[in-house]
Amino acid sequence: MAKEYQVLTKDQTLYSSSLIRLPTPRFVVFYNGSGMTEESCILRLSDAYQSPEAEPELELKVRVLKIAPEANRELLEACQSLKEYMLFVEQVRKYAAFLELNEAVDRAVNKCIRDGILSDFLSKHKAEVIAVSIFEYDEEREIRLIRQDEFRQGQQNILRNQVHKKLQKGKSPAVIADELELEPEVVETLIQELRKELFGSVL
């Protein structure tokens, strides 16, 4: 932003006593991922500060707008290019549900060209669009898989802690399995993991 203002004020002297008027900035992110439930939200730079303040001296607010068939319809109707881009992304997701990603993107591009969705742009830049779309969708899918794995790991840690506490109370694996409504094999696996973590500590 500082660089942008530097360009806008390059023909004016910064040492004048007169106030230099600057264009009012607006920061917007169009989000077309699957991890946002609300239509819009505000992200603040100050949310990342180690010591939160009621009125931070440096702040940046960015409005995030969800771009999807069920969200921000007024905006999509007002901006045809944005609407068509959203439709293209939806086509990619539709085909990616049952095809390899590169084939899904290729089919989505061809269908959109036939249907008049971003047809001029897609026809001129087909190869670049396919390459970028594959990268972006791969990244989104990778993040989703990481989050799912983190959730499963969290659930696993909770179960392991529960088993540990019950073992410390002298309960047998069979009783623990019954109380936690788990298969005995699952409990035995968790016990083995605990033993490895505790390097032979008595459980």
Side-chain angles (χ1 to χ4, degrees):
M1 197 61 215
K3 289 181 179 179
E4 187 68 21
Y5 277 145
Q6 187 176 27
V7 171
L8 292 172
T9 59
K10 64 182 176 63
D11 296 325
Q12 303 182 57
T13 175
L14 301 180
Y15 302 101
S16 170
S17 58
S18 302
L19 181 66
I20 297 176
R21 295 290 177 178
L22 301 172
T24 303
R26 293 285 185 271
F27 300 93
V28 179
V29 169
F30 296 121
Y31 178 80
N32 63 1
S34 56
M36 183 175 175
T37 55
E38 62 270 33
E39 286 199 350
S40 68
C41 68
I42 299 292
L43 299 181
R44 291 175 171 81
L45 178 65
S46 60
D47 290 338
Y49 292 169
Q50 291 181 345
S51 302
E53 297 179 356
E55 295 185 11
E57 294 183 13
L58 178 63
E59 181 64 286
L60 172 66
K61 294 193 293 185
V62 179
R63 180 176 297 278
V64 182
L65 298 172
K66 182 176 182 179
I67 304 303
E70 73 282 0
N72 290 302
R73 293 181 180 177
E74 186 176 345
L75 171 63
L76 293 174
E77 291 304 323
C79 183
Q80 186 65 21
S81 295
L82 193 60
K83 179 181 179 180
E84 290 185 13
Y85 175 68
M86 178 272 296
L87 293 172
F88 165 68
V89 173
E90 290 299 308
Q91 285 296 325
V92 173
R93 289 201 176 103
K94 172 185 170 184
Y95 287 121
F98 59 91
L99 293 173
E100 290 294 326
L101 186 55
N102 58 341
E103 186 179 353
V105 174
D106 187 64
R107 281 208 195 183
V109 168
N110 291 332
K111 186 175 191 314
C112 286
I113 291 173
R114 289 196 305 271
D115 294 348
I117 298 171
L118 294 177
S119 54
D120 289 343
F121 180 82
L122 292 176
S123 297
K124 292 177 183 176
H125 307 283
K126 183 175 179 179
E128 297 94 326
V129 170
I130 290 175
V132 170
S133 298
I134 289 173
F135 173 78
E136 288 184 347
Y137 196 83
D138 259 348
E139 183 181 38
E140 178 184 328
R141 185 161 56 182
E142 186 66 22
I143 290 172
R144 187 166 60 248
L145 290 173
I146 290 172
R147 297 275 162 76
Q148 289 173 353
D149 185 64
E150 288 173 346
F151 176 78
R152 284 194 295 269
Q153 188 60 45
Q155 295 293 97
Q156 191 81 349
N157 290 338
I158 291 171
L159 281 176
R160 202 156 40 225
N161 289 337
Q162 289 175 330
V163 170
H164 190 190
K165 289 177 182 178
K166 291 180 182 295
L167 284 170
Q168 288 178 322
K169 292 178 180 179
K171 296 185 178 182
S172 68
V175 170
I176 294 172
D178 183 61
E179 290 182 353
L180 295 179
E181 298 183 350
L182 296 172
E183 293 295 326
E185 295 82 4
V186 174
V187 173
E188 289 293 344
T189 299
L190 291 171
I191 291 173
Q192 291 301 320
E193 291 177 2
L194 282 166
R195 284 178 176 150
K196 288 179 182 178
E197 289 177 7
L198 297 172
F199 298 102
S201 296
V202 177
L203 300 176

